[in-house]
């Protein structure tokens, strides 16, 4: 569906243009890999560490944790099913 055209909306609002979801590779790989990938991962680690330090995190009442695994879609990157959590500030 128009693969040679630059249409960035296809990945977030024009899902009808996606033929194969595995084609989306934001950092690519090999010699042409994104130079900012290590920085993005470092920032992600910093944000997650800040959340874990500031909050007690638990599954929401009534949530079945196996839902995350049952609804997992394994594509280029794993996409877990819905995860419902409660974040309570630490004292």
């Amino acid at each position: 569906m128009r693969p040679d055209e630059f249409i960035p909306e296809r990945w977030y609002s024009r899902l009808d243009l996606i033929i194969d979801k595995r084609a989306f590779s934001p950092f690519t790989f090999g010699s042409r890999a994104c130079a900012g990938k290590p920085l993005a991962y470092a920032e992600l680690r910093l944000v997650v560490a800040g959340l874990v330090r500031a909050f007690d995190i638990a599954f929401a009442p009534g949530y079945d944790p196996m839902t995350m695994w049952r609804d997992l879609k394994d594509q280029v990157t794993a996409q877990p099913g819905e995860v419902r959590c409660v974040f309570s500030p630490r004292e």
Side-chain angles (χ1 to χ4, degrees):
M1 298 228 155
R2 301 166 35 196
D4 296 326
E5 294 180 39
F6 179 70
I7 309 172
E9 299 82 24
R10 80 172 74 236
W11 299 110
Y12 60 88
S13 66
R14 296 285 313 273
L15 302 180
D16 56 311
L17 295 175
I18 300 174
I19 295 173
D20 187 353
K21 291 182 181 181
R22 294 174 296 167
F24 180 64
S25 180
F27 293 116
T28 72
F29 52 89
S31 62
R32 304 225 189 270
C34 176
K37 180 179 178 180
L39 177 61
Y41 280 130
E43 186 172 358
L44 182 61
R45 281 189 215 98
L46 181 66
V47 169
V48 170
L51 287 171
V52 169
R53 185 174 179 201
F55 296 95
D56 287 321
I57 305 167
F59 289 117
Y63 172 76
D64 177 15
M66 290 308 295
T67 302
M68 175 174 53
W69 299 108
R70 275 194 307 269
D71 297 342
L72 177 74
K73 294 178 184 158
D74 192 14
Q75 297 169 348
V76 174
T77 58
Q79 297 177 2
E82 181 179 29
V83 180
R84 293 180 181 229
C85 296
V86 175
F87 289 73
S88 304
R90 290 186 182 215
E91 296 184 23

